[in-house]
Amino acid sequence: MTTGIDARLERIGTDGSYVIVPMDHGITMGAVTGLKDIESTIDGVTSGGADAVLTQKGIAPRVHDNKNGKGYIVHLNGSTTIGPDEEDKRMTGTVEEAIRVGADAVSFHINVGSDHEPDQISQLSEVTERAQRFGIPVLAMAYARGPGVDSADPEALGHAVRLAEELGADIVKTGYSGDAESFQHVVESTRLPVVIAGGSKGTDRETIEMVRGVMDAGGAGISMGRSIFQHEDPEAIARAVAGVIHDDLSTEEALAEAGLALEA
């Protein structure tokens, strides 16, 4: 790593752990709940304890005045749910564009095991090489997805995170295997900080229990979108997540301190 990468990693995390809220879903799903007034959502999640938010480059003007001094990541590829193949992520930006709009880091999505894996491997390799020149960290969103691939299989997830390290990423995001014991294999498959995706929104307890499991397995945090930005109180759920990741709270402690109901 370069000094620049180290410095910028500190802007998007806290002492090597990460609460990142991706809100690039507008390109994928449209202006869904939580993204129409994205300014208020960004203010809420960063006030609640998120270390960084993530969007596509065009949303940058709506980010900076509302992120309360927290970090900013620009995502560099995408697809839509109404297109011919959602797994076929195409380039939407460059490292240089991300720098111009004030990003502290960039991210790139790769579906390991999909028909589009070869092109995405090449593209991620190009992104990491370019980012290294400028001292910009790369968050690789490396998922196990494709024909015959179990997206929660710890072996497949371990392969995905290792691929990200092999290609030069600085942080890797992947799916959750379902429990701390199996996820430990995923964490041990790389020396990179491993953060998890949230997927579709569950109950508050389910969300926080999943975050607790990741940390118990040695993970570095979360990069969780809909479970946070579509919550009825994004600030509160961000505070609960941050409580587990940054303050080592239990599920019950985190929910209570955030003022969320301790539902079963």
Side-chain angles (χ1 to χ4, degrees):
M1 289 189 183
T2 68
T3 301
I5 289 176
D6 288 341
R8 292 181 177 93
L9 284 173
E10 291 179 3
R11 298 178 194 169
I12 64 169
T14 300
D15 298 327
S17 61
Y18 302 89
V19 178
I20 299 168
V21 182
M23 288 180 268
D24 58 314
H25 301 63
I27 198 170
T28 308
M29 305 167 66
V32 295
T33 300
L35 298 185
K36 288 182 179 179
D37 181 8
I38 196 170
E39 292 87 347
S40 294
T41 305
I42 291 169
D43 175 64
V45 300
T46 53
S47 296
D51 295 303
V53 296
L54 179 156
T55 74
Q56 292 280 346
K57 62 188 181 185
I59 301 298
R62 305 176 68 177
V63 172
H64 291 293
D65 289 344
N66 301 288
K67 64 184 179 67
N68 297 301
K70 301 300 182 69
Y72 180 44
I73 303 169
V74 167
H75 196 52
L76 299 184
N77 63 344
S79 61
T80 74
T81 56
I82 60 175
D85 187 349
E86 188 179 350
E87 291 187 354
D88 187 9
K89 305 288 183 180
R90 299 298 180 99
M91 295 294 295
T92 56
T94 66
V95 172
E96 290 89 339
E97 286 178 307
I99 293 169
R100 284 198 294 270
V101 298
D104 301 303
V106 296
S107 61
F108 188 89
H109 182 128
I110 178 170
N111 291 314
V112 180
S114 78
D115 293 338
H116 308 290
E117 177 197 286
D119 288 338
Q120 291 170 356
I121 284 176
S122 296
Q123 292 163 357
L124 177 55
S125 296
E126 292 169 4
V127 166
T128 58
E129 188 277 333
R130 195 68 179 168
Q132 182 72 27
R133 295 189 194 184
F134 294 98
I136 299 294
V138 177
L139 165 62
M141 300 184 181
Y143 293 91
R145 290 180 182 169
V149 178
D150 180 353
S151 61
D153 175 29
E155 293 294 331
L157 295 171
H159 191 165
V161 299
R162 184 53 177 257
L163 178 145
E165 180 180 6
E166 299 274 348
L167 296 183
D170 302 289
I171 314 175
V172 59
K173 168 183 177 176
T174 197
Y176 187 50
S177 58
D179 58 77
E181 183 178 1
S182 63
F183 198 70
Q184 187 174 350
H185 168 73
V186 182
V187 173
E188 292 174 348
S189 297
T190 179
R191 291 190 178 181
L192 298 182
V194 178
V195 300
I196 64 150
S200 57
K201 185 181 181 300
T203 67
D204 294 344
R205 175 172 288 277
E206 289 170 340
T207 296
I208 302 307
E209 285 179 342
M210 180 169 61
V211 176
R212 184 66 263 172
V214 171
M215 302 310 290
D216 290 343
I222 58 95
S223 174
M224 188 177 288
R226 286 172 288 170
S227 295
I228 295 179
F229 74 71
Q230 289 195 319
H231 195 277
E232 61 183 13
D233 189 342
E235 182 174 347
I237 193 65
R239 181 171 291 109
V241 170
V244 173
I245 294 172
H246 294 323
D247 299 322
D248 197 28
L249 299 183
S250 69
T251 298
E252 288 73 16
E253 289 170 336
L255 290 169
E257 291 204 7
L260 296 171
L262 300 174
E263 78 276 6

